[in-house]
Amino acid sequence: MLGAYSPEADPDFLYAETAEITGEGKHLLTATGINATGKRKEAILTEFQRGGFLLGYVLECALEPESRNEAALAALLKTRMPAFLARLRRSFQPKCVASISSKLDPFLEGLTEKDLNCARLSDGGKSFALDRPAPEQAIESLRQTLAASKAVAR
């Protein structure tokens, strides 16, 4: 899973050391079919990883207030994207990539499987926009796409 930047609120960040999981983290668990009810955070993250999932961000920190406008964010992503793609290919070595941020659409457009060194899962050629105000359709689309990709891999 590929996000543009880490969520600001700790409970929204899947890997934060908080017991509660909200926002983006909760959306990802729903899409991957992981039920967090009654489970400790360590168990949830273990299940996420055993499912073959990893969450990475182009910008690893939450945005500073001066970077929150669209132009500043786009400039930061453009600057950081080449290094992140190199890290993706060399360190993560994924079998497939699914962007969960609509902010990444302009930067992923035109990238081929050869560029990524893996398959790219998409929602009609776009990111699974879990960062939109009403992400329910994107969550369901990601869930269905992940299920279909697992069926193909078998």
Side-chain angles (χ1 to χ4, degrees):
M1 305 296 170
L2 175 59
Y5 54 88
S6 297
E8 186 175 343
D10 280 351
D12 292 351
F13 180 55
L14 185 62
Y15 297 124
E17 294 181 15
T18 60
E20 184 181 22
I21 302 173
T22 60
E24 178 184 276
K26 187 174 181 178
H27 300 330
L28 277 172
L29 294 177
T30 300
T32 57
I34 297 171
N35 182 355
T37 306
K39 296 179 186 173
R40 293 179 42 163
K41 185 76 172 260
E42 295 160 356
I44 296 165
L45 293 178
T46 298
E47 189 174 346
F48 186 75
Q49 291 172 335
R50 283 192 180 147
F53 304 111
L54 176 70
L55 173 60
Y57 294 97
V58 176
L59 304 174
E60 295 177 355
C61 297
L63 293 179
E64 297 293 326
E66 63 272 8
S67 302
R68 293 193 184 167
N69 72 62
E70 294 294 323
L73 176 57
L76 281 171
L77 290 170
K78 183 178 181 181
T79 300
R80 185 71 182 117
M81 187 60 78
F84 179 80
L85 290 174
R87 181 176 172 224
L88 178 77
R89 289 186 300 267
R90 293 180 186 141
S91 298
F92 293 165
Q93 300 178 358
K95 293 180 183 175
C96 61
V97 170
S99 172
I100 59 167
S101 174
S102 61
K103 307 289 189 232
L104 294 176
D105 284 342
F107 305 101
L108 296 176
E109 194 172 282
L111 284 180
T112 65
E113 290 184 5
K114 184 177 178 183
D115 297 325
L116 296 170
N117 202 28
C118 66
R120 179 175 166 231
L121 305 179
S122 70
D123 190 7
K126 302 273 186 197
S127 295
F128 298 92
L130 302 186
D131 56 354
R132 296 247 165 100
E136 293 79 17
Q137 186 175 356
I139 293 167
E140 181 59 22
S141 181
L142 179 56
R143 188 191 66 72
Q144 290 177 4
T145 301
L146 291 172
S149 71
K150 282 187 177 184
V152 170
R154 291 185 179 146

